[in-house]
Amino acid sequence: MRWPIRYQILIPFTAAMLAGLLSVSVVSAYLAARRVERQIEEQVRNLGRTLMESNFPLTAAVLAQMHGLSGAEFVVSNDSGRIVSQSENAPPRPTHASPVTDWRQLALGTLMNSGGRGYFTSSLAMPRRGPRSQPLVLDIFYPEEHWRASRRDAALPPLAIGGATLAVFVAVAAIISLRLERPIARLRAQVARLAGGDFQALTLPSRNDELRDLAQSMNVLAEQLVEMRRAIGRAERLTLLGQLSGGLAHHLRNDITGARMAVQLHQRHGCDADGESLDVALRQLKLTEEHLQQFLSAGQPRPLEKTPCDPGEIVRQVARMIEPICLHRKVDLQISDLRSAGRHDAAHSLAADGEQLRQLLMNLALNAAEAAGRGGRLRIEVADENGHAIVRVSDSGPGIPAGMEERLFEPFMTMKPEGIGLGLAVARQIAHAHQATLTYRRQDGATSFELSFPAESFVQTSLGAGT
């Protein structure tokens, strides 16, 4: 799963700040609420002390003034429980109240409900105010809603400050992550361009920081890659030139040597010599032309010039041309025509470019003759299979090494020290131009290349009856 750097910075930072601020805010709010509770209890004790130590009578007017100062309600009753005086909205006195005799012991007390409102109740036994006065009990009712409001007012400021601080920290973290993400995104795009072969320099960030240093390093890397590409290109061109010149020299040397030997043989016998030696010389020179044509075809093949041609006849022509090579290398050359007997020659004809088809088969046959080696076997056969015209070139050589099959038809891919690596590439190129397929197969100890023409390539279906 993708984890952007923005969130890698923002989320941990926010989580840490949230935990810290939340804990500080909650603790501060709790302590503030507890402080307010102690202040309220202290206020209740001071009320009890003031009323207990005063000499003025505890009338309703006095209790009303005390209510205005504290918000509490008061009830003064005698020992028998009869109410002597009370504030205006004082609730009924609880029957289970147990008064304390010392104002220092006053607290908020128990919570009671009266008229839909809650009150914290506490009772204080008042001393006699004269020889003829009777003992009194002062009940103090502190409203729960005032207690809650005081706690809330004390707790809200720390929580609000914590929330505001958290919002500020989140905004700062988001700004920082965005300022880091943008130059990183530009660096990522630059790396992608470098991978795609675009070595244009990256505009440096305005801030002088580590990201600027990284951008400078990327620009240096781009310059080095440009220089390395140039060096590799020069090396590849030199290597390719050496490979082409070596392969071409090898083929031309063999062809010209064969032609020279045939001419010398004819010259030695003079008038008594037959025409075979000259035919051999001419075929060797024809091979030289084929090799040169192979290079031209690798660069830019000429357009097809389709005419009716018999693949069997082309195979026989190729066999005659490579026969001197096979004799020199002691390779058993065999050709066979397995097509249906009794058919008219026109039925065997294909709509194809005869010169290019001959070049294709020549490339396959020369490779097979070299692969077969001394004492080996080379077989070229023509057949009609399932409505397709098939030309198969087989040899008894060791075949293609494992792992090389996928690159077999790539240009300049060769396994021979003096090879050029264009023969099979040109052969497949010509096959594709004819809508034919060229495949490699290793079976029963033999290596074979099979050229298959579709049924549409036959003359009667592709060129029409008037061809």
Side-chain angles (χ1 to χ4, degrees), residues 147-226:
W147 176 81
R148 292 186 179 277
S150 299
R151 281 169 52 91
R152 183 174 60 253
D153 293 341
L156 279 179
L159 294 176
I161 293 174
T165 305
L166 178 62
V168 171
F169 276 119
V170 171
V172 171
I175 294 174
I176 292 175
S177 64
L178 285 175
R179 295 185 66 176
L180 289 176
E181 183 184 17
R182 289 170 183 169
I184 290 176
R186 288 196 295 268
L187 290 176
R188 181 181 59 194
Q190 172 68 359
V191 172
R193 289 198 299 269
L194 289 177
D198 182 5
F199 304 118
Q200 184 178 1
L202 178 67
T203 303
L204 297 180
S206 58
R207 294 188 302 274
N208 189 6
D209 54 10
E210 289 78 3
L211 291 177
R212 182 186 177 94
D213 297 339
L214 182 57
Q216 289 177 336
S217 300
M218 294 296 300
N219 289 340
V220 172
L221 176 60
E223 295 176 359
Q224 294 176 349
L225 288 175
V226 170

Side-chain angles (χ1 to χ4, degrees), residues 135-149:
L136 299 176
V137 176
L138 173 65
D139 292 304
I140 303 175
F141 302 90
Y142 196 87
E144 181 187 13
E145 59 186 12
H146 289 183
W147 176 81
R148 292 186 179 277

Side-chain angles (χ1 to χ4, degrees), residues 327-339:
L327 292 174
H328 176 70
R329 296 180 179 178
K330 301 295 189 293
V331 174
D332 181 17
L333 174 61
Q334 303 174 4
I335 61 173
S336 60
D337 193 340
L338 306 179
R339 293 176 293 181

Side-chain angles (χ1 to χ4, degrees), residues 311 348 350 382-385 387-391 451-455 457-458:
H348 292 306
L350 298 175
V382 185
D384 290 338
E385 298 179 1
H388 292 253
I390 305 295
V391 180
L451 178 66
S452 176
F453 290 89
S457 299
F458 287 104

Side-chain angles (χ1 to χ4, degrees), residues 10 17 65 72 74-75 105 130 152 164 186 246 257 328 347 399 441 454:
L10 184 60
M17 294 305 303
Q65 291 179 357
F74 302 91
V75 174
Q105 299 176 352
R152 183 174 60 253
R186 288 196 295 268
T257 299
H328 176 70
R441 182 180 303 169

Side-chain angles (χ1 to χ4, degrees), residues 364-385:
L364 297 181
L366 288 174
N367 286 342
E370 291 187 25
R374 183 172 294 273
R377 177 177 49 82
L378 167 59
R379 182 180 179 85
I380 308 176
E381 58 186 18
V382 185
D384 290 338
E385 298 179 1

